[in-house]
Amino acid sequence: MGTTASKGVLYDENGKQIFEIGVPYPLIQTKVGQAEEDPEVIFDAVQQIIYKLSKNADGKIMAISWSSQMHSLIGLDENKNLLTNSITWADNRAEEIVAGAKESGLGKIIYQNTGMPIHPMAPVYKLMWLKEKNAQLYKQVKYWIGIKEYLIYRLTGELWMDIPMAAGSGMLDLKTLTWDNQILNKLELSIDQLPKLTKPTEIISNLSDEYRRKLNLSSNTLIVIGASDGYLSTIGVGVLSKSDFALNVGTSGAVRTLVTQPIIDKKARYFCYPADKKSYLVGGPVNNGGIAFEWARKTIFDADETAEDFLNIAQSVPAGSGGLIFHPYLGGERAPIWNANSKASFIGLTRNHTKPQMARSVLEGIVFNLFEASHAITENIGRPRAIKVTGGFIRSEFVRQMLANVFNIPMVAMKNSQSGTLAAMFLARLALGMNKELSEINNFITEEKVYFPDSKEVKIYQEIIPIYQEIEHEINQSYEKITAFQNRHPDLFKA
Amino acid sequence: MGTTASKGVLYDENGKQIFEIGVPYPLIQTKVGQAEEDPEVIFDAVQQIIYKLSKNADGKIMAISWSSQMHSLIGLDENKNLLTNSITWADNRAEEIVAGAKESGLGKIIYQNTGMPIHPMAPVYKLMWLKEKNAQLYKQVKYWIGIKEYLIYRLTGELWMDIPMAAGSGMLDLKTLTWDNQILNKLELSIDQLPKLTKPTEIISNLSDEYRRKLNLSSNTLIVIGASDGYLSTIGVGVLSKSDFALNVGTSGAVRTLVTQPIIDKKARYFCYPADKKSYLVGGPVNNGGIAFEWARKTIFDADETAEDFLNIAQSVPAGSGGLIFHPYLGGERAPIWNANSKASFIGLTRNHTKPQMARSVLEGIVFNLFEASHAITENIGRPRAIKVTGGFIRSEFVRQMLANVFNIPMVAMKNSQSGTLAAMFLARLALGMNKELSEINNFITEEKVYFPDSKEVKIYQEIIPIYQEIEHEINQSYEKITAFQNRHPDLFKA
Ligand SMILES: Nc1ncnc2c1ncn2[C@@H]1O[C@H](COP(=O)(O)OP(=O)(O)OP(=O)(O)O)[C@@H](O)[C@H]1O
Ligand SMILES: Nc1ncnc2c1ncn2[C@@H]1O[C@H](COP(=O)(O)OP(=O)(O)O)[C@@H](O)[C@H]1O
């Protein structure tokens, strides 16, 4: 279940993908900062998907395993009826609460206890926000869950949550892997208001007969709880330890790896989410991936120019874009700078700069930012041997090679594009006893090509990245001022 | 005599323009930072022009009066033969010398004594540079003059320099209006190496018979020495006191006015050049006028989009460009920031920004910078009643109104486009006794239209200008770093 669509993938008993279907749904954004989804609409989409997949397998589905967006929040009443929409990770309305928590030190405590960065995406801050702004609703809600929990509840009548998903709530204790009492007290919540916790390979029994029939499932079909898309897309490219990183860059981006114990950052620049007691997902979610590329293509160039045109033009000028620097923060940024008010900029323009350098600087800026997000992690846990890359933004040889040169680390482009569903499928195999060890997931994963750093370009990027970073620090305070100006004059600035 | 061409204008005895002709010449730029011109080529151009004008008047030319580019430097040997090209204001090679003079405090002293900003355009710094880098040539040179002095010397055999022009050398004492001994000592120059000083209405006798014949001039034709284009284009729009400012924005720009005594700036942000003991030209020369507009038109848009297209698109979005800020420093900047390494930037981009806001922000950035240049002056001498505007950049109603709104001062668009030659002509009238008072120049000047500030937009600009300025201060140091990067990698950055 993604933010704009759900996708179902059917795998055969050998782990081979044989069918795939996606169903989109809208994001509800009628108020400033709002980004909600209707759980019923998603449940409908998921039912359609399961039905179609099952049809394709003549009803012989062994297991349904789940990969889902993180950080969603849904309130249910005592009869487990919906009292809210699903408030997604993209909802920013807890921003003021987060600012307060940053000031008061509470944000730091939450980060240290749970590995959750200080950001409005986290359910813990959304709960504080609802508690403050909508106390009546807050009192009415008996259960707080997320979208995956809701869907599984609808199918099974049970409220369960896997540990990797629970970690994204900002309420799971990093050390004990149980709900954090200190935080629950702060929220005036009791443990029975949250789902029971379990491991991603847990089989949730009790798939109701009603849905078994409705969805054309057999009496043997099992529900495996699965996990968060962040965790699954990491193990799904075979990144099982810190010797490799996983880098996905689609519309947004993320760099992630797994470590064997909780290692948090002094500056709270990355998340650290437990998967189990010996495995912690560390990583940085980056807003400005392909979405910044897309903006530049349409704005600096024209909407009718293709991505390939853009890449070809960018390639016509050398690394460093003649000293032109692009900060990609078009829509604020999470990792590595965690500033919702940050803005994009082109800095360093001279008369010799023309469109090709502007195009190249956009790509370089996006990649510098990904590098910074990764660097915050390597500073704490060391550099990986290689980085496994996936996503729409790294489709071209040019961008892949640029990544290798900027990171100064070999980049391994992966064949499997759907690492999240692949890993969810693999969890089902573990649950069913078809595989024994997590490492066996590598049998289902194929590498496409490796890109090694080119030392000449590495040198150039190592000169320009510090300038990129310094400028970002220098103008950081001005972002607030521009945002304040924009907020004072909404009439002057319509989308 | 301009930087890229000379222009001759024929006026009848009533001061009416009746004929005009221009002849272009090349800038010599074969070395980094070099910007020279061949004095002989310019002399040829000027001869062609005089000949054509005279033909048009059947040889009945009463006087030839001169307006010229400032800050040029030419070395002659003892026989007054050329030893150098004309090193123009655009030549940057004295930059290191200037950096040293800034450090040592010498720059400040020169500014205080002469009103000359601390910048490589000034002949005083070019002389220091030649003295250091080319001591042999420096010793060989017997006379140091500028291009206007050279041309008049060729026609008359005399070496004279008018006071407003001499002021642009950085060697004229602000108080005494004589060559500054302290500076001459520093340069190891004696006064007889520099031209004799005189007032702009001086008649230089001795126009040689050779050139009288060659140029088809009558025996009555007089040579009036004239003045610098900066001074002449100011009085040429009728700005005779600080109650009005003159703002010209063509390729580059300048804001100027006249005060009755030397008033210099603590931060040396503007020049203060004596015209006579009761009249001082203060002003700021701005590099990034229409040239920045031109760059944006070709780069952000396409070369085949016209200036009008650009203006129409920019006009389609409201004042403030949605908080997007453009610094126009594509080619470094003189007033108001005096930083040769400064660069241009777009700062504050969000996903809602598209081409129209980028276009508008370019215009606003150019105008904010002009405002800052003007503001440095008004801080010291007070605000003018109105500003008289001329030049290619202020051709449109839209830009004129934007100027009024940003400056919060009425803008008076002038009919006379050639204020410099008009004023030169008027000097001839004064020299010939056809007029008595400088104020009578107003009889030859016509206003086209007045633009009054719109209070709603004034308010918006007054919010955004401080942000524009703060960001400039914040990233100021990074300009050096980008420049150092570019200088280390000339191969990566060809024009
Ligand atoms: N050839 C290309 N080079 C670089 N970027 C591209 C190219 N083609 C498409 N993109 C960008 O890739 C993005 C889409 O990638 P992908 O399909 O992986 O994203 P997604 O699944 O929507 O994103 P996410 O993984 O963040 O949910 C778009 O933002 C688009 O601008
Ligand atoms: N309609 C317009 N609006 C704004 N700027 C313009 C327009 N047309 C031309 N320009 C700019 O005016 C400049 C030329 O102005 P002009 O006064 O002729 O210049 P110069 O300083 O070379 O004498 C060019 O840089 C050009 O970009």
Side-chain angles (χ1 to χ4, degrees):
Chain A
M1 284 79 65
T3 314
T4 57
S6 276
K7 196 169 63 191
V9 184
L10 184 66
Y11 293 91
D12 70 13
E13 65 277 22
N14 301 314
K16 203 175 140 244
Q17 175 173 337
I18 51 179
F19 182 68
E20 172 182 350
I21 182 181
V23 176
Y25 33 76
L27 211 54
I28 301 164
Q29 299 188 291
T30 56
K31 297 171 204 160
V32 178
Q34 181 192 32
E36 299 187 349
E37 284 168 347
D38 185 336
E40 283 306 300
V41 169
I42 298 185
F43 184 48
D44 281 346
V46 165
Q47 288 182 74
Q48 277 182 54
I49 288 168
I50 296 176
Y51 183 82
K52 291 263 171 66
L53 295 186
S54 178
K55 273 278 169 196
N56 252 274
D58 292 329
K60 293 184 204 127
I61 303 282
M62 294 170 74
I64 302 172
S65 179
W66 305 74
S67 167
S68 170
Q69 52 169 295
M70 299 175 77
H71 314 301
S72 62
L73 181 69
I74 297 175
L76 305 179
D77 69 14
E78 57 214 356
N79 300 316
K80 304 200 176 95
N81 293 318
L82 289 169
L83 286 176
T84 70
N85 275 329
S86 172
I87 308 176
T88 73
W89 65 271
D91 198 294
N92 274 326
R93 287 171 296 174
E95 209 163 277
E96 258 179 63
I97 294 286
V98 166
K102 234 178 218 166
E103 281 266 308
S104 72
L106 175 63
K108 199 91 191 236
I109 292 171
I110 292 175
Y111 178 66
Q112 283 164 347
N113 286 10
T114 71
M116 179 76 222
I118 312 165
H119 192 271
M121 68 183 171
V124 63
Y125 296 112
K126 290 175 190 155
L127 286 167
M128 289 183 204
W129 170 69
L130 285 169
K131 186 163 176 288
E132 190 176 307
K133 300 286 169 187
N134 203 338
Q136 201 181 339
L137 171 75
Y138 193 77
K139 273 202 200 104
Q140 264 175 283
V141 171
K142 171 70 193 171
Y143 303 102
W144 291 107
I145 61 174
I147 185 65
K148 181 155 76 71
E149 293 69 60
Y150 181 72
L151 299 171
I152 292 177
Y153 161 71
R154 289 300 304 271
L155 296 174
T156 66
E158 306 221 11
L159 281 184
W160 285 97
M161 196 171 201
D162 64 276
I163 296 279
M165 186 63 90
S169 69
M171 299 186 285
L172 190 79
D173 185 309
L174 256 187
K175 311 246 160 61
T176 61
L177 273 54
T178 58
W179 297 115
D180 185 304
N181 271 323
Q182 188 187 358
I183 295 173
L184 261 49
N185 284 343
K186 181 95 203 155
L187 290 167
E188 298 176 41
L189 289 184
S190 67
I191 278 190
D192 61 357
Q193 291 187 265
L194 299 173
K196 285 164 287 178
L197 296 167
T198 188
K199 61 184 192 299
T201 49
E202 186 73 42
I203 294 171
I204 312 293
S205 40
N206 299 333
L207 170 56
S208 76
D209 287 338
E210 177 196 349
Y211 285 108
R212 232 179 255 282
R213 250 189 332 271
K214 224 173 144 180
L215 301 179
N216 189 39
L217 298 170
S218 84
S219 58
N220 300 323
T221 308
L222 300 174
I223 302 276
V224 175
I225 191 168
S228 68
D229 54 6
Y231 173 67
L232 292 174
S233 63
T234 306
I235 65 169
V237 290
V239 169
L240 307 177
S241 76
K242 67 177 190 172
S243 69
D244 294 298
F245 281 15
L247 175 66
N248 173 268
V249 197
T251 307
S252 58
V255 54
R256 303 183 186 96
T257 190
L258 284 172
V259 290
T260 54
Q261 50 189 18
I263 301 175
I264 59 169
D265 181 47
K266 276 208 192 92
K267 300 185 208 149
R269 288 171 298 174
Y270 59 75
F271 58 73
C272 177
Y273 298 148
D276 60 52
K277 288 208 173 165
K278 281 190 231 122
S279 175
Y280 293 78
L281 184 74
V282 294
V286 172
N287 290 353
N288 295 291
I291 198 169
F293 172 75
E294 193 78 4
W295 172 88
R297 186 171 64 77
K298 289 188 186 150
T299 305
I300 309 296
F301 289 78
D302 278 307
D304 60 343
E305 218 125 353
T306 64
E308 283 65 37
D309 293 339
F310 189 108
L311 293 167
N312 286 334
I313 291 170
Q315 254 180 101
S316 71
V317 292
S321 302
L324 175 59
I325 286 170
F326 178 71
H327 289 130
Y329 309 125
L330 285 163
E333 188 51 286
R334 289 184 290 167
I337 62 167
W338 298 96
N339 183 344
N341 290 328
S342 61
K343 313 267 182 261
S345 41
F346 287 96
I347 294 173
L349 290 159
T350 68
R351 274 206 294 281
N352 291 343
H353 284 109
T354 53
K355 269 199 173 69
Q357 282 104 351
M358 292 185 83
R360 186 172 184 127
S361 77
V362 166
L363 297 170
E364 290 178 346
I366 293 171
V367 172
F368 292 166
N369 188 49
L370 294 166
F371 168 72
E372 264 204 89
S374 165
H375 192 67
I377 301 170
T378 58
E379 269 180 21
N380 285 277
I381 68 164
R383 280 163 62 85
R385 214 180 39 171
I387 298 184
K388 298 186 170 176
V389 290
T390 50
F393 181 70
I394 62 109
R395 217 164 273 162
S396 65
E397 299 266 318
F398 175 51
V399 168
R400 293 169 178 182
Q401 187 61 52
M402 185 186 285
L403 279 162
N405 297 345
V406 168
F407 282 64
N408 194 18
I409 292 173
M411 294 285 150
V412 186
M414 306 304 293
K415 267 246 166 79
N416 313 59
S417 59
Q418 282 153 15
S419 52
T421 55
L422 178 109
M425 174 275 290
F426 185 76
L427 290 184
R429 294 181 67 91
L430 286 177
L432 297 169
M434 297 169 74
N435 284 96
K436 300 283 173 242
E437 295 288 335
L438 189 55
S439 63
E440 290 165 31
I441 197 171
N442 279 312
N443 301 333
F444 301 94
I445 297 169
T446 325
E447 297 181 355
E448 187 189 319
K449 190 169 167 189
V450 186
Y451 298 81
F452 294 97
D454 168 282
S455 62
K456 245 180 67 194
E457 297 213 348
V458 167
K459 212 185 133 289
I460 291 161
Y461 290 130
Q462 286 183 350
E463 286 182 46
I464 205 152
I465 290 169
I467 307 178
Y468 169 98
Q469 292 171 329
E470 266 174 57
I471 297 179
E472 202 285 314
H473 289 144
E474 281 160 9
I475 60 175
N476 204 290
Q477 284 140 48
S478 300
Y479 296 147
E480 311 297 322
K481 286 171 197 151
I482 295 175
T483 304
F485 172 82
Q486 291 172 338
N487 292 346
R488 272 197 305 278
H489 300 285
D491 52 313
L492 296 182
F493 194 38
K494 300 235 174 65
Chain B
M1 286 77 64
T3 314
T4 57
S6 276
K7 196 169 63 191
V9 184
L10 184 67
Y11 292 91
D12 70 12
E13 64 276 25
N14 300 314
K16 203 174 140 246
Q17 175 173 337
I18 51 178
F19 182 69
E20 172 182 350
I21 181 182
V23 176
Y25 33 76
L27 211 56
I28 301 164
Q29 300 188 289
T30 56
K31 297 172 205 161
V32 179
Q34 181 193 32
E36 298 187 350
E37 285 168 347
D38 184 336
E40 281 308 301
V41 169
I42 298 185
F43 185 48
D44 281 346
V46 165
Q47 288 183 75
Q48 278 181 56
I49 289 167
I50 295 176
Y51 183 81
K52 291 262 170 66
L53 294 186
S54 178
K55 273 276 166 197
N56 251 274
D58 291 330
K60 293 186 204 124
I61 303 279
M62 293 171 74
I64 302 173
S65 179
W66 305 73
S67 168
S68 169
Q69 50 168 297
M70 298 176 78
H71 313 301
S72 61
L73 181 69
I74 297 174
L76 304 179
D77 68 15
E78 57 213 356
N79 299 318
K80 306 205 175 91
N81 291 320
L82 288 169
L83 286 176
T84 71
N85 276 329
S86 171
I87 308 176
T88 73
W89 65 273
D91 197 295
N92 274 327
R93 287 171 295 174
E95 209 163 277
E96 257 179 64
I97 294 285
V98 167
K102 235 177 217 166
E103 281 268 307
S104 73
L106 176 62
K108 199 91 190 235
I109 292 170
I110 291 175
Y111 178 66
Q112 284 164 347
N113 286 11
T114 71
M116 179 76 222
I118 311 164
H119 192 272
M121 68 184 172
V124 62
Y125 296 112
K126 290 175 190 155
L127 286 167
M128 289 183 204
W129 169 70
L130 285 169
K131 184 162 177 289
E132 190 176 306
K133 300 285 169 188
N134 203 338
Q136 201 181 341
L137 170 74
Y138 193 77
K139 274 202 200 103
Q140 263 175 285
V141 171
K142 172 71 197 189
Y143 301 103
W144 291 107
I145 60 174
I147 185 65
K148 179 154 77 72
E149 294 67 61
Y150 180 72
L151 299 170
I152 293 177
Y153 162 72
R154 288 301 304 272
L155 295 175
T156 66
E158 304 221 12
L159 280 185
W160 286 97
M161 196 170 200
D162 64 278
I163 297 277
M165 188 62 91
S169 69
M171 301 186 285
L172 190 80
D173 186 310
L174 257 187
K175 311 242 161 61
T176 62
L177 274 50
T178 59
W179 296 116
D180 185 302
N181 270 326
Q182 187 186 358
I183 295 172
L184 261 49
N185 284 344
K186 181 93 204 153
L187 290 168
E188 296 176 41
L189 288 186
S190 66
I191 279 189
D192 62 359
Q193 292 188 264
L194 298 173
K196 283 164 287 178
L197 295 167
T198 188
K199 59 185 192 299
T201 50
E202 186 74 41
I203 293 172
I204 312 293
S205 42
N206 299 333
L207 171 54
S208 78
D209 286 338
E210 178 195 348
Y211 284 108
R212 236 180 251 282
R213 246 191 334 272
K214 225 170 142 182
L215 301 177
N216 189 40
L217 297 170
S218 85
S219 57
N220 299 324
T221 306
L222 299 174
I223 301 274
V224 176
I225 190 169
S228 68
D229 53 7
Y231 173 68
L232 292 174
S233 62
T234 306
I235 64 170
V237 290
V239 169
L240 306 179
S241 76
K242 67 177 189 170
S243 68
D244 294 297
F245 282 16
L247 174 66
N248 174 269
V249 198
T251 306
S252 57
V255 54
R256 304 182 185 96
T257 191
L258 283 172
V259 290
T260 53
Q261 49 189 18
I263 302 176
I264 58 169
D265 181 47
K266 275 207 190 94
K267 299 185 207 151
R269 287 171 299 175
Y270 59 74
F271 58 74
C272 176
Y273 298 148
D276 60 51
K277 286 207 174 166
K278 281 190 231 122
S279 175
Y280 292 78
L281 184 73
V282 295
V286 172
N287 289 354
N288 295 289
I291 199 170
F293 172 75
E294 195 77 5
W295 172 88
R297 186 171 64 77
K298 289 189 186 148
T299 306
I300 309 296
F301 289 80
D302 278 308
D304 59 345
E305 219 125 353
T306 64
E308 284 65 36
D309 293 338
F310 189 106
L311 293 167
N312 286 334
I313 291 170
Q315 254 181 104
S316 71
V317 292
S321 303
L324 175 60
I325 286 169
F326 178 71
H327 288 131
Y329 310 125
L330 284 162
E333 189 49 288
R334 287 184 289 167
I337 63 168
W338 298 96
N339 183 345
N341 291 329
S342 61
K343 313 267 182 261
S345 41
F346 288 96
I347 294 174
L349 290 159
T350 68
R351 274 206 294 280
N352 292 343
H353 283 111
T354 52
K355 270 201 171 70
Q357 282 104 351
M358 292 184 81
R360 187 173 183 126
S361 77
V362 167
L363 298 170
E364 290 178 345
I366 293 171
V367 172
F368 292 166
N369 188 50
L370 294 166
F371 167 74
E372 264 205 88
S374 165
H375 191 67
I377 301 170
T378 57
E379 270 181 20
N380 284 277
I381 68 163
R383 281 162 63 85
R385 214 178 40 168
I387 298 184
K388 300 188 169 174
V389 290
T390 50
F393 181 69
I394 61 111
R395 216 164 275 163
S396 64
E397 298 265 318
F398 176 51
V399 168
R400 292 168 180 185
Q401 187 61 52
M402 184 186 284
L403 279 162
N405 297 347
V406 169
F407 282 64
N408 194 18
I409 291 172
M411 293 286 149
V412 186
M414 306 304 294
K415 269 247 167 78
N416 313 58
S417 60
Q418 281 154 16
S419 52
T421 54
L422 179 110
M425 175 277 288
F426 185 77
L427 290 183
R429 294 181 68 92
L430 286 175
L432 295 171
M434 297 169 74
N435 284 96
K436 299 282 172 243
E437 296 287 333
L438 189 55
S439 63
E440 291 164 29
I441 197 172
N442 279 311
N443 302 333
F444 301 93
I445 297 169
T446 326
E447 298 182 357
E448 187 189 319
K449 190 168 166 189
V450 186
Y451 299 80
F452 294 97
D454 167 281
S455 62
K456 244 180 68 194
E457 296 214 347
V458 167
K459 212 185 135 287
I460 292 161
Y461 290 129
Q462 287 183 350
E463 285 182 48
I464 205 152
I465 289 167
I467 307 178
Y468 168 99
Q469 292 171 329
E470 267 174 56
I471 297 180
E472 203 285 314
H473 289 144
E474 281 161 9
I475 61 175
N476 203 289
Q477 283 139 48
S478 300
Y479 296 147
E480 311 296 324
K481 286 172 196 153
I482 295 175
T483 304
F485 172 82
Q486 290 172 339
N487 292 346
R488 272 197 306 277
H489 299 285
D491 50 313
L492 297 182
F493 195 37
K494 302 237 170 65

